[in-house]
Amino acid sequence: MASLTVLAPLDGWCMPLAQVPDPVFAEGMIGDGVAIDPVSAVVVAPCDGEITTVPAGGHAVSIRTAEGVDVLVHVGIDSVKLAGQGFQPLVRVGQSIRAGEDLIRFDLDIVARGAKSLVTPIVVTPVDGLRIARRHEVGPIRAGDVLLELEYAANARAQIARDPVDDGAARRTVTVPLRHGLHARPAALLAKRARAVNTVVTLAAHGKTADARSVTAIMALGVANGDTLAVSASGANAARAVDEVVAGLDDALKLERAAGDESAPGSSSPNDAARIAAASSPAPAARPCTRHAEAGRGSHISDPPIADGTLSGVVAASGFATGFATRLDRVVVAVAENGKGAAEESAELDRALGIVRARLTRIGGVGGTTRREIAEAHLAFLDDPMLNEAAHEHIAAGKSAGFAWRAAIGAAIAALDTLADKRLRERADDLLDIQSHVLLALHGEAQPMTRQLMNDSVIVADELLPSELLSLDRKHLKGICLSGGGPTSHVAILAAAMEVPMLVGLGSALRQVGQREALIVDAERGVLHIAPSAEKIADAQRHAEAWHARRAAERAAAQRECRTRDGTRIEVFANLGSVAEAEAAVAAGAEGCGLLRTEFLFIDRDSAPSEAEQREVYQGIAAALAGRPLVLRLMDVGGDKPLNYLPLPHEENPALGLRGVRTALRYPDLLRTQLRAALRVKPTGVVRLLLPMITEVAEVRAIRSVVDELRGELSHSAPVEIGAMIETPAAALTADRLAAVVDFFSIGSNDLTQYSLAMDRGHPELARRIDALHPAVLKLIALATAAGERNGKLVAVCGGMAAEPAAVPLLVGLGVRELSVVPAAVPALKREVRELTVSDCAALAARCLEVESAAEVRALVAQTIASPGGA
């Protein structure tokens, strides 16, 4: 046996790992070790080795020793929620360090106030043959004291090196186009493809690797939109295996398009941005906890009182409701640690997995698309080889099936918890859900298919799992309020699909709400009213009834054409990316497609789409629109949307580089193929062409020349309308010139705002300042609409601004006569337009052009709309 010494990384109070206020650590799901409640604010290296992980928040660090043993130091519990606030990492991944060197500096006060606890686990990851021979006794400890003495077998190093071997007989590098990166559902699609081939496929990103068969391993890579992902395999089927896994990204992209996920960065209103920022900020703990405070070691900090009878949260599913608090009692399944033998426990686990698999298959077979997709993601977790292998390893070590499954799930959750991407961290709820299903099945029980509720129930809880929501009696469910949670979690997606108002991030004070206490759930403004007066409840009930009536009326009225109160025609179109979206748009009352994004056909593949492939897609969407106009934007690729099959140059600033119409003109074969496909769509003339990133007249003339040439080749006698996107200040400032060579304008408000304000719309620190209602942006829009009016050319808006209630009266007042939004926003937009008059809107817009800031514009709009006779 060999030995290894691990030193204390902090001054403080040494305590058993079992006392850590987090079951993932306390139950040894990550590994064995001890914890320190710190009094010093610098983490020093507990041993020699190489830094293997430093999460984006800087709250933890892992060191791999020369012997192959991994040691994790995790400062605080739930400290990942601080998103780096109060932490200063001093090392980077791959750096060699010596015991005693500084690794992390942190602010004790900030972490104590924002994290669930300051208690810092020091954990050694499990390795067969490795054991802790001695650990420091409970009591005071100083940095550099001996914390752990390890003994391990000679083969421990080989067993710890479990990362997939990437010898790269076949290899491809792709840019991930998914808006939210590789979260649960796309990871499941990749893993499904990988399991279908008889070859080990490795994924690599951010210096980490993952077995492509494992959903949890893929998610733990932390791959975000635009990140580079390397896919490699070896063996006889290596090339086909790589192609299969890369095809999984195509599947995921199609699924994303079909789901209508159009929330582009920068398209939210400032209020939405503030709420999302609030959701990403330090959240109160989900359970009572012990925190370190200046008043004394381990003192208890009680939940803050609810001073004014309200709690502020984040809207996860919009709506308005009144009801009575209903707390759910979650079934807690006790599991024995020791098993009855590997064969028996393995059989029991397989039996339970089969029961849960059958149940999820039944659930996915009924209900809507959202329900089916979430069930499929959960099925992928059940078949995840990493989870199953980890569970069977614990069983082989003598553990029970329940203990082994919970430990495997706990390790996967811990890996997600270190990621910077909030959406990926929220997938931990899905893992907890699967854990609960399997543990209940092991005990011969199952989640109830329907859980009865009392009348007018508002669910109040720290968290809610997707299966728990699906089991609730929908007839009596009025709303959902969670102390934690996130607006992009699967349970939030389900709530929105079920039209159940939902608030998340309300904080630990929510625990003070009593059973059956009266509540008002304002999931329009993000406020929960607790124990309101009878008068307020009566007012709220009238508001809720009006809200539901308004929604029903909107859906019914959306099928009629849209005019302002004084009779001006405003066309309401939809932004589309698939046949499914086109069908949803028509059902919602859209009068056509104002923006068909075609780049999804071009990205994340090894060759350009053929004319036949493109024509099939365009024709399918045109058929779904049933003769309504189809505004087809030419491929908006290049820059931040690179193509694997084009030798596009590396660009320091993709937003200002070779993108949009510039790419199309540089590669005329691609352009001609797309134009031919568009011109072949029937009925002739339904397609209008929209040119992205226009900055000068010559670009339009060049495209029109190609279109006229192809019309002759195809005997296409009908004229083809061509429009220019106004998304650069250059296009707005020369709109009079452009109007002479185009048939219409379409304002891309997201990019126009970005370029006008010189702020990257994806920059997290600038998100709140990127506001399309800035007077500079409004003045550029005014230039474009005035040019359109002078030249008799329609002006549309297809960016996120078109769906923002505060912006709509301004756009109408400035002369915009077509608004294009996501399909779900069509009914509400039509209702709003019908309440406006053009004269009032024009007066309001004129006043807003003269103020100094977006905040003043918003205040002026709010004041005018609220006043009698307002716009």
Side-chain angles (χ1 to χ4, degrees):
M1 297 291 287
S3 63
L4 176 67
T5 299
V6 177
L7 306 178
L10 293 156
D11 299 340
W13 184 268
C14 186
M15 56 194 290
L17 201 62
Q19 294 182 12
V20 174
D22 187 312
V24 172
F25 289 106
E27 297 175 15
M29 298 181 190
I30 298 177
D32 199 0
V34 295
I36 296 175
D37 193 1
V39 295
S40 61
V42 178
V43 176
V44 300
C47 55
D48 297 347
E50 179 182 320
I51 303 296
T52 55
T53 62
V54 181
H59 59 281
V61 62
S62 292
I63 304 119
R64 179 164 293 178
T65 72
E67 295 81 8
V69 177
D70 284 333
V71 181
L72 167 68
V73 181
H74 193 286
V75 181
I77 303 302
D78 283 352
S79 49
V80 65
K81 295 179 180 178
L82 288 167
Q85 184 182 9
F87 289 99
Q88 180 187 4
L90 305 174
V91 291
R92 64 185 184 281
V93 172
Q95 180 178 337
S96 295
I97 50 93
R98 304 283 294 178
E101 290 185 21
D102 291 355
L103 304 180
I104 301 170
R105 289 196 183 99
F106 62 98
D107 188 306
L108 277 166
D109 185 59
I110 290 176
V111 179
R113 292 175 183 275
K116 177 180 176 181
S117 169
L118 261 177
V119 170
T120 297
I122 299 93
V123 176
V124 179
T125 55
V127 182
D128 292 342
L130 175 71
R131 73 182 188 91
I132 297 178
R134 188 173 74 85
R135 64 192 81 207
H136 195 282
E137 68 276 5
V138 175
I141 192 170
R142 294 188 64 83
D145 290 352
V146 174
L147 184 69
L148 303 170
E149 288 186 357
L150 312 178
E151 291 182 351
Y152 59 93
N155 65 345
R157 180 174 184 176
Q159 293 179 12
I160 192 65
R162 298 182 184 182
D163 285 341
V165 176
D166 178 9
D167 51 12
R171 179 183 176 91
R172 282 176 59 188
T173 300
V174 296
T175 299
V176 175
L178 305 170
R179 186 167 302 283
H180 300 292
L182 290 179
H183 58 94
R185 277 177 278 180
L189 292 171
L190 265 67
K192 180 179 179 181
R193 291 270 191 169
R195 287 194 291 269
V197 296
N198 190 26
T199 303
V200 175
V201 182
T202 299
L203 305 180
H206 305 306
K208 298 184 286 186
T209 57
D211 186 333
R213 298 170 300 171
S214 170
V215 177
T216 51
I218 295 171
M219 292 165 63
L221 289 175
V223 175
N225 172 260
D227 284 352
T228 297
L229 181 71
V231 186
S232 57
S234 59
N237 298 320
R240 186 177 72 84
V242 169
D243 288 343
E244 277 292 310
V245 172
V246 171
L249 282 174
D250 288 329
D251 297 340
L253 185 59
K254 291 174 184 175
L255 183 63
E256 185 177 84
R257 298 292 187 190
D261 187 358
E262 297 305 324
S263 53
S267 65
S268 303
S269 71
N271 288 340
D272 292 335
R275 288 172 179 168
I276 295 301
S280 303
S281 66
R287 292 172 292 276
C289 60
T290 300
R291 300 190 185 190
H292 178 85
E294 292 181 358
R297 304 194 50 77
S299 60
H300 292 270
I301 298 179
S302 60
D303 294 330
I306 304 174
D308 60 353
T310 64
L311 290 176
S312 295
V314 177
V315 175
S318 63
F320 197 95
T322 62
F324 302 94
T326 299
R327 292 192 172 273
L328 295 183
D329 294 324
R330 178 173 297 167
V331 177
V332 179
V333 182
V335 298
E337 179 174 353
N338 297 322
K340 301 175 182 178
E344 182 175 344
E345 297 296 338
S346 292
E348 277 295 289
L349 179 59
D350 291 342
R351 179 189 64 80
L353 292 173
I355 292 171
V356 177
R357 188 178 293 109
R359 183 175 187 273
L360 287 172
T361 301
R362 290 196 302 273
I363 290 173
V366 296
T369 301
T370 301
R371 184 184 180 115
R372 184 183 70 251
E373 290 173 354
I374 292 174
E376 289 173 352
H378 285 193
L379 281 167
F381 284 128
L382 284 182
D383 295 326
D384 190 305
M386 295 282 287
L387 287 176
N388 282 276
E389 288 168 12
H392 282 289
E393 285 176 5
H394 285 292
I395 288 174
K399 307 301 182 184
S400 71
F403 184 93
W405 183 249
R406 191 171 64 186
I409 293 286
I413 291 173
L416 293 179
D417 194 48
T418 65
L419 300 178
D421 190 321
K422 185 175 183 293
R423 188 182 179 96
L424 289 172
R425 295 199 307 271
E426 287 172 0
R427 298 290 83 86
D429 284 352
D430 300 291
L431 286 167
L432 286 172
D433 212 344
I434 288 298
Q435 173 182 289
S436 176
H437 280 303
V438 173
L439 293 183
L440 285 170
L442 283 168
H443 283 67
E445 303 173 35
Q447 293 276 16
M449 292 302 292
T450 302
R451 183 178 297 187
Q452 298 301 319
L453 295 175
M454 297 180 70
N455 289 340
D456 299 335
S457 288
V458 174
I459 298 302
V460 174
D462 287 333
E463 58 187 17
L464 186 69
L465 301 179
S467 66
E468 292 173 328
L469 174 54
L470 290 174
S471 72
L472 297 177
D473 178 5
R474 177 66 185 89
K475 181 172 62 175
H476 297 303
L477 177 62
K478 296 300 182 182
I480 300 169
C481 298
L482 304 181
S483 61
T488 60
S489 65
H490 274 157
V491 77
I493 294 169
L494 279 171
M498 296 165 65
E499 296 190 350
V500 177
M502 180 176 177
L503 295 175
V504 298
L506 289 160
S508 57
L510 185 66
R511 297 193 201 97
Q512 299 174 40
V513 174
Q515 187 80 338
R516 301 304 290 172
E517 193 159 20
L519 300 174
I520 298 172
V521 183
D522 184 348
E524 294 176 321
R525 297 177 178 83
V527 179
L528 174 65
H529 299 268
I530 302 160
S533 66
E535 182 181 358
K536 286 185 177 179
I537 292 175
D539 288 343
Q541 287 174 338
R542 287 190 289 270
H543 185 100
E545 291 169 1
W547 186 86
H548 287 290
R550 186 171 68 247
R551 289 290 296 271
E554 283 174 359
R555 285 192 289 265
Q559 299 304 319
R560 304 195 305 269
E561 72 174 22
C562 185
R563 293 183 180 274
T564 61
R565 195 149 44 92
D566 51 359
T568 300
R569 181 79 167 94
I570 307 292
E571 294 181 296
V572 177
F573 284 18
N575 300 334
L576 304 177
S578 68
V579 173
E581 288 183 3
E583 293 170 346
V586 171
E591 300 169 57
C593 170
L595 174 67
L596 175 62
R597 304 170 304 275
T598 63
E599 51 273 11
F600 71 94
L601 287 167
F602 292 82
I603 61 178
D604 193 30
R605 53 190 296 161
D606 288 333
S607 59
S610 66
E611 179 182 331
E613 180 184 352
Q614 291 188 60
R615 194 258 178 185
E616 181 180 2
V617 172
Y618 305 152
Q619 185 63 61
I621 292 170
L625 291 173
R628 296 172 178 82
L630 170 55
V631 178
L632 185 152
R633 183 176 68 186
L634 296 187
M635 54 178 185
D636 187 11
V637 296
D640 58 348
K641 302 171 189 170
L643 302 179
N644 295 333
Y645 46 88
L646 286 187
L648 294 169
H650 169 75
E651 301 192 75
E652 293 296 330
N653 194 334
L656 303 181
L658 195 63
R659 55 168 295 193
V661 73
R662 302 167 188 172
T663 304
L665 291 173
R666 179 164 176 170
Y667 296 95
D669 289 343
L670 278 181
L671 171 64
R672 293 173 69 87
T673 299
Q674 183 173 32
L675 289 174
R676 287 177 64 89
L679 293 174
R680 291 176 57 205
V681 172
K682 304 297 181 184
T684 301
V686 72
V687 170
R688 305 171 184 173
L689 300 175
L690 182 58
L691 313 185
M693 276 298 287
I694 292 296
T695 57
E696 57 187 37
V697 169
E699 293 166 331
V700 180
R701 286 180 173 150
I703 298 292
R704 190 176 285 280
S705 175
V706 179
V707 170
D708 290 342
E709 179 187 340
L710 293 176
R711 285 177 58 208
E713 292 179 12
L714 298 171
S715 300
H716 189 293
S717 58
V720 178
E721 291 191 25
I722 296 178
M725 288 202 75
I726 305 295
E727 51 190 340
T728 66
L733 291 167
T734 59
D736 264 315
R737 299 279 186 173
L738 288 171
V741 294
V742 300
D743 300 291
F744 64 96
F745 288 139
S746 186
I747 296 170
S749 59
N750 297 339
D751 269 332
L752 183 61
T753 303
Q754 170 179 249
Y755 293 129
S756 301
L757 302 183
M759 294 181 185
D760 183 348
R761 70 187 199 188
H763 196 297
E765 294 186 16
L766 297 176
R768 301 188 189 189
R769 297 181 58 193
I770 302 174
D771 192 339
L773 269 62
H774 191 289
V777 180
L778 296 179
K779 287 182 179 180
L780 291 173
I781 293 174
L783 288 174
T785 54
E789 185 176 356
R790 282 192 293 270
N791 292 274
K793 304 297 169 67
L794 176 100
V795 180
V797 173
C798 62
M801 188 180 187
E804 187 178 346
V808 171
L810 298 180
L811 296 176
V812 171
L814 290 172
V816 172
R817 294 297 178 258
E818 179 189 301
L819 299 167
S820 190
V821 296
V822 296
V826 169
L829 177 57
K830 282 192 168 184
R831 175 189 56 76
E832 181 179 5
V833 170
R834 290 184 178 120
E835 295 173 355
L836 303 174
T837 64
V838 172
S839 57
D840 287 343
C841 290
L844 173 62
R847 293 170 64 196
C848 289
L849 290 175
E850 302 305 319
V851 301
E852 296 180 355
S853 68
E856 289 183 68
V857 170
R858 291 186 177 278
L860 191 54
V861 171
Q863 177 185 359
T864 304
I865 297 298
S867 64

